[in-house]
Structure formats: C-alpha cells, structure tokens
Amino acid sequence: GPPRTMKDLSLNNGVESQGHGLRHWLLSNAPQSRRQARLGRAYQAWLTFSQNRLAMIGLGIIILLVAAAALAPLIAPYPPNAPDLSARLAPMSAEHWLGTDELGRDILSRIIHGSRLTLYVIVLVAIIAAPVGLLIGTVAGYAGGWLDMVLMRATDIFLAFPKLILALAFVAALGPGIENAIIAIAITAWPPYARIARAETITIRNADFIKAARLQGAGPARLIWGHVVPLCLSSLIVRVTLDMAGIILTAAGLGFLGLGAQPPLPEWGAMISSGRKFMLDQWWVAAMPGIAIFLVSLGFNLLGDGLRDVLDPKAEGR
C-alpha cells in the first residue's frame, strides 16, 4: 500500500488515545459524577459478560430472534399462510429450505413469522408478571406481619400447582386464544418473582440508608419505590431471563393442545401439533418448529446464566 504520512499517523494516534482516554474514564476508581459511576459500572458489567462465551452465544440467539421478528415480512421467502397443495409435504430443497407442511406452506417462512408470536408472548408475560410479583414481594417483605402472611400464603397456593396445569385451568376458563394464553401464563408466572423480591426486601429493610431515609420523612411508598425496588431489580431481571424458556415451553404446550394461538397463526407449538401425524415419514414438519423452540429456550438460558454472573451480587465469590 502507499506509505503512511505523518498526518495519517497523528490521526490514528489521536483516535487510539481517545479510545484509551474513554476506557480510563469509564474504569476510573474515583468517578467525578453519578453519571460517570453508572456508565463505569455498566462498562465493567459488559466486560464481565463478554468474557462468557456461552452467554454471548445466548445473546446472539436472542438478537437473531428479535431480528427475525422485526424483519419477518422482508426475509421470509413465502407468505406464512399461503397454501400450495402441489408442494404438499415437500422435503427440504433449494425452493423450501426446511420443507413444507400438510398444506404446502413453507415451514421456514412460518417459523420466521412465528418468532413474532413467541416474542409477543414473552414480552407481554414479562410486562404483566414481573411488576405484579415485584409489587407483592416488596410490600410483603417491607410490611411484615399479617399482610406478609396473607400475601405469601396466596403465593404458596399458586406455587403448589405445576405451571402448565394451572395455565390449562385458566385457559379452559377463559377460552382458547393467544391473548387468553398470555393472561393465563402471566397469572402462573408471578409467584417466584414475589418470593425473590420479598427475600431481597427482608435483607435490606433494616439497613442504615433505609433508616436514614425514614428519618428524613420518607413514607412507606417512597421507601419501597425509591430504595427497595431498585435493589431488587437485578435479581428479578436474572430470574425473568431464566424463566423465558419456561414461558416459551408453556406457550408451546398450550398451542400444542389447541388452547393457545389458533390456526392459521404460525405458532410453533401448534405447528408441532399439526405435524405429529406425519412424524414417521415427513419428520421435518414437526421437527423444525421443535428445533426453533429448543434453540430459543437455550439462548435465554445461556443469556440468563451470563446475566446472573454479572448482576447477582451473591455470585461474586463463586
């Protein structure tokens, strides 16, 4: 290549020094502002997380899921619900990479569009269940006494039943459909979050900074929302991420039994249910959506393990 001039070298040195300067600023042991301290903690957490190869693989799988859901109409080779009886139960080929189902619909296109339903279920269940569990757990842990006993006994009742059985009961009462399935899964998902939030709250409710805030006139609502809840969030985020695989499997189980997303929606559990009749000869009809469920569940588990190493303060000594 052409010889590098002094100007090029000075520009490169300037860019490198800027990078080193930013890194030094982020990793400073004596931050000059709250913003610098927060950014520094986030950068250190990212460095710890990025050293975990399995966690990075999990993050990559989840990024692919989100990208597939966002770009489904652009990257899917065929419409997800368009039948083509001339290509019925076609094996994997250049035209249909993952084969076709009993109506000639392209399985790859249906899996890509089904990622939208999977993400829809995951996000809505997390939005509903996590705040409910966090609220019940922090209130029970902070208040104590009879209120703690009542809230925790209600939590124990929900924990006494297997999630899928309880979700089946609620869906049977509400009626089949994707929205009712989301409500049923959310109703069964909040108790573990309440338990975690209560345990975290009990450990910090008598801390010195809580007593200082109380002496300054902070009421129970302000103490819970401003001081207790932020300290419970890291453990809750880890648990929610690890629970995503269970949420996906429960949604797929409801779809498999015909109580979740209804045809012709390309929900992965419903696709497995329709393909089980062809398992011996046309195995790909049921196997491909099953592999999709397995990969996404694995991705969330790997991501959750990585986040636990970063966010869980009790894991630092491991």
Side-chain angles (χ1 to χ4, degrees):
R4 300 173 72 184
T5 63
M6 292 298 294
K7 185 178 179 181
D8 293 333
L9 291 173
S10 63
L11 283 172
N12 288 336
N13 289 335
V15 170
E16 289 176 6
S17 63
Q18 276 186 340
H20 287 303
L22 179 61
R23 180 183 173 86
H24 179 73
W25 183 78
L26 288 170
L27 298 177
S28 172
N29 291 325
Q32 302 298 314
S33 65
R34 185 177 296 179
R35 174 171 167 267
Q36 183 181 356
R38 287 176 176 172
L39 291 174
R41 282 200 303 269
Y43 182 64
Q44 288 177 338
W46 167 251
L47 290 178
T48 304
F49 181 84
S50 61
Q51 290 170 0
N52 188 333
R53 291 185 179 179
L54 291 177
M56 292 299 289
I57 291 173
L59 179 62
I61 293 173
I62 304 311
I63 289 173
L64 285 176
L65 172 71
V66 174
L71 304 174
L74 300 177
I75 61 177
Y78 298 93
N81 299 321
D84 181 8
L85 296 180
S86 63
R88 183 175 178 271
L89 298 174
M92 291 173 280
S93 63
E95 285 187 2
H96 302 283
W97 288 5
L98 300 183
T100 62
D101 63 8
E102 70 277 13
L103 296 178
R105 297 172 296 192
D106 184 66
I107 292 175
L108 175 60
S109 300
R110 288 178 64 76
I111 288 175
I112 291 172
H113 280 271
S115 64
R116 288 186 158 189
L117 289 173
T118 300
L119 209 59
Y120 177 63
V121 170
I122 290 170
V123 170
L124 283 185
V125 169
I127 288 174
I128 296 169
V132 170
L134 182 62
L135 177 65
I136 291 174
T138 51
V139 169
Y142 184 82
W146 66 269
L147 184 59
D148 179 25
M149 186 179 69
V150 169
L151 291 176
M152 286 302 103
R153 294 299 78 77
T155 304
D156 290 340
I157 291 171
F158 279 89
L159 286 171
F161 297 93
K163 281 186 179 180
L164 183 58
I165 303 300
L166 201 57
L168 281 171
F170 282 115
V171 172
L174 296 171
I178 187 72
E179 288 81 11
N180 290 342
I182 290 170
I183 294 171
I185 296 170
I187 290 173
T188 63
W190 66 266
Y193 310 144
R195 279 285 183 191
I196 289 173
R198 176 180 178 270
E200 295 277 349
T201 304
I202 288 175
T203 60
I204 61 177
R205 68 182 176 187
N206 294 320
D208 291 340
F209 67 92
I210 296 289
K211 293 177 181 176
R214 193 182 293 122
L215 287 173
Q216 290 175 347
R222 184 177 174 188
L223 285 171
I224 290 173
W225 181 252
H227 297 279
V228 176
V229 167
L231 292 173
C232 297
L233 282 179
S234 60
S235 299
L236 196 72
I237 290 170
V238 172
R239 182 58 195 253
V240 168
T241 309
L242 288 170
D243 279 356
M244 291 301 180
I247 292 169
I248 292 169
L249 292 174
T250 304
L254 293 175
F256 182 85
L257 296 172
L259 297 172
Q262 297 299 297
L265 290 176
E267 198 274 324
W268 294 346
M271 291 173 65
I272 296 175
S273 179
S274 65
R276 62 183 169 170
K277 301 187 290 289
F278 313 101
M279 198 63 197
L280 293 178
D281 297 320
Q282 290 85 21
W283 54 269
W284 56 87
V285 181
M288 293 308 168
I291 291 171
I293 293 172
F294 165 75
L295 287 176
V296 173
S297 301
L298 177 66
F300 275 112
N301 279 331
L302 294 177
L303 179 63
D305 282 336
L307 288 177
R308 181 170 55 195
D309 294 340
V310 172
L311 297 177
D312 188 357
K314 302 179 188 65
E316 290 179 2
R318 290 190 310 182

